[in-house]
Amino acid sequence: MNIGIVCYPTFGGSGVVATELGKALAKNGHHVHFITYSKPGRLDFFNENISYHEVDAYSYPLFDYTPYELALASKMVNVVEYEKLDLLHVHYAIPHASAAYMAKQILKTKGIEIPVITTLHGTDITLVGKNPSYEPVVTFSINQSDIVTSVSEDLKNDTYKHFDITRDIEVIPNFIDLTRFSKQKKDHFKKAICPNDEKLIIHTSNFRKVKRVQDVMQVFYKIKAAIPAKLILIGDGPERQMAETMCREMHMCDDVRFLGKLDVVEEVLSVGDLFILPSESESFGLSALEAMACEVPVISSNAGGIPELNIQGVSGFMSNIGDVDDMAKNALWVLKDENLTKFKKAALARAKEFDITKILPLYEKVYKKAVENVHVGV
Ligand code: GMT
């Protein structure tokens, strides 16, 4: 198939899922056209089945806000028409689903029927989408998509709760490429970070408020009070300064490293003993799945779709949002030498259930259905 993928090219989870999906589809023989405003981070290689179309949003002194959505819709029209796409798959509703709706209507006037598949990822529903500034457009564009998927049951339920949705939403969970995310031998790295065999705790996020990075610092403080441990934080965002200040005030700077944004997360995860994800809201928790694939058990909150991934007492533990005492207690239990190996194995076993080879056919099935329905005029 000739597939158009529209996504954010940034480090965020939805962009990662869209890019990895496109790469896997290309490997399976489809031609994938990425349409976005800059090249996605994980697309820095040549593949004959992958094309990249940059959206160039022309600005003008009159505009206080550049109308990106219009430029995106125009680019979609152009690519669908000239590359003869079979479908458009847009990731993250805002503004991709409404731009796709507009492109679809324009293409209709040219005699081209293009099915639009919208995948909901999380904050497009739980945080941003339900804001009155966007809600009517999000509701409309979800209802107008040919097929809608969400990355967890919880996100699907949230979508029905917050929007007046009149159509089915299919759940297709996020996935992991185990050929990339698997434990690598990085003993020298572990030795450099943990010279005295300390336990290594890892957190990865975009450091937004929903991630509750302050809880990561609190939990680590409590772990460190009980056993020798180090903390690595990967990523960057608005709460990083707060976390660094907390780190100084708690006198733990010698044991905490902020690595910023990193392409090779799997190399760090390979030497981790425990992953912390205390989010206030999380539709799925892709970062936790990446950790589990590298044999790192997860201490998390029980927010959103996390319980669909992390199995209580098996791949790690979940606590109520903000319950840092319980998180620290569970972390210390997992980190006990007699328990750790069992949890690491269980984390990997759970991750294998989300292997991309199992999830890719679900998307291919959706694509087939969307294209068939368009041809029979459903
Ligand atoms: O985590 C974020 O805030 C980024 C956001 C995104 O869309 O880029 O992530 C969301 O989508 C990911 C991929 O489907 C999910 O794994 C994350 O759980 C979800 N984040 C939230 O719901 C907060």
Side-chain angles (χ1 to χ4, degrees):
M1 276 190 208
N2 222 1
I3 299 162
I5 290 189
V6 180
C7 63
Y8 282 103
T10 47
F11 273 79
S14 64
V16 168
V17 169
T19 312
E20 294 300 329
L21 174 63
K23 282 159 66 176
L25 288 164
K27 227 189 212 170
N28 243 12
H30 301 282
H31 196 118
V32 179
H33 298 261
F34 284 93
I35 305 172
T36 183
Y37 59 82
S38 79
K39 204 164 195 173
R42 294 189 181 186
L43 216 60
D44 54 350
F45 60 91
F46 171 74
N47 179 312
E48 58 182 348
N49 283 345
I50 295 180
S51 305
Y52 164 62
H53 307 269
E54 189 155 306
V55 180
D56 190 12
Y58 172 70
S59 200
Y60 186 68
L62 179 69
F63 302 152
D64 271 346
Y65 304 98
T66 305
Y68 173 68
E69 195 173 341
L70 302 187
L72 176 60
S74 298
K75 182 57 99 181
M76 286 192 222
V77 169
N78 183 276
V79 177
V80 170
E81 200 174 359
Y82 292 101
E83 300 287 354
K84 311 235 172 311
L85 298 194
D86 293 307
L87 60 97
L88 282 169
H89 186 178
V90 304
H91 290 260
Y92 205 90
I94 307 168
H96 303 146
S98 47
Y101 172 77
M102 194 186 294
K104 187 182 166 87
Q105 299 313 311
I106 296 169
L107 286 158
K108 212 176 253 176
T109 66
K110 294 167 179 271
I112 299 170
E113 287 289 345
I114 184 89
V116 172
I117 293 125
T118 298
T119 291
L120 309 173
H121 277 275
T123 49
D124 47 351
I125 295 301
T126 55
L127 206 72
V128 195
K130 67 182 189 201
N131 186 289
S133 328
Y134 302 113
E135 183 279 320
V137 176
V138 173
T139 304
F140 177 80
S141 48
I142 290 175
N143 282 333
Q144 292 296 321
S145 298
D146 292 276
I147 294 187
V148 181
T149 74
S150 94
V151 299
S152 65
E153 284 290 339
D154 184 78
L155 183 61
K156 169 180 164 175
N157 295 338
D158 262 353
T159 310
Y160 284 125
K161 192 159 97 200
H162 298 299
F163 302 85
D164 188 12
I165 300 301
T166 54
R167 48 158 320 113
D168 283 349
I169 298 177
E170 197 165 323
V171 176
I172 302 185
N174 283 334
F175 52 80
I176 191 83
D177 178 357
L178 290 159
T179 59
R180 174 179 166 191
F181 282 89
S182 59
K183 195 175 176 67
Q184 305 170 11
K185 225 173 151 23
K186 294 277 167 196
D187 295 348
H188 57 290
F189 184 47
K190 178 81 185 239
K191 194 91 197 127
I193 308 271
C194 304
N196 302 307
D197 218 19
E198 294 92 341
K199 294 288 188 268
L200 181 59
I201 321 297
I202 301 176
H203 170 77
T204 312
S205 77
N206 50 24
F207 285 64
R208 300 211 184 108
K209 270 207 176 330
V210 286
K211 301 295 174 181
R212 294 189 65 95
V213 186
Q214 73 275 22
D215 289 359
V216 176
M217 307 312 283
Q218 300 267 15
V219 173
F220 180 67
Y221 183 80
K222 289 170 195 286
I223 294 174
K224 209 176 77 69
I227 58 168
K230 300 276 183 186
L231 171 67
I232 283 187
L233 296 113
I234 303 170
D236 211 339
E239 296 292 290
R240 175 165 169 181
Q241 185 56 56
M242 175 279 301
E244 290 199 30
T245 305
M246 268 182 95
C247 183
R248 287 177 207 141
E249 287 173 359
M250 293 166 123
H251 304 290
M252 12 188 240
C253 294
D254 287 347
D255 297 315
V256 180
R257 306 260 297 250
F258 290 84
L259 298 191
K261 289 178 183 168
L262 202 67
D263 276 331
V264 284
V265 189
E266 66 275 19
E267 292 189 4
V268 183
L269 289 172
S270 287
V271 295
D273 294 302
L274 192 72
F275 188 80
I276 308 189
L277 189 70
S279 307
E280 193 169 308
S281 165
E282 200 70 68
S283 67
F284 181 86
L286 183 64
S287 58
L289 175 56
E290 292 179 343
M292 286 155 72
C294 295
E295 298 178 34
V296 186
V298 174
I299 291 296
S300 67
S301 71
N302 52 11
I306 298 178
E308 294 169 50
L309 172 66
N310 195 9
I311 306 176
Q312 186 76 340
V314 178
S315 55
F317 283 97
M318 291 174 291
S319 310
N320 289 332
I321 298 163
D323 192 346
V324 291
D325 286 333
D326 195 54
M327 289 181 198
K329 186 190 88 200
N330 291 334
L332 288 167
W333 173 258
V334 173
L335 289 169
K336 276 179 186 288
D337 285 331
E338 61 270 33
N339 295 338
L340 193 52
T341 309
K342 184 185 77 184
F343 277 101
K344 285 187 171 189
K345 275 192 183 150
L348 174 60
R350 180 65 176 149
K352 283 183 174 167
E353 294 176 37
F354 298 89
D355 188 340
I356 188 157
T357 57
K358 292 190 175 130
I359 308 298
L360 188 68
L362 305 181
Y363 277 114
E364 288 180 311
K365 204 168 146 204
V366 159
Y367 294 165
K368 202 166 164 265
K369 188 162 89 186
V371 171
E372 280 169 5
N373 285 351
V374 147
H375 290 314
V376 294
V378 175

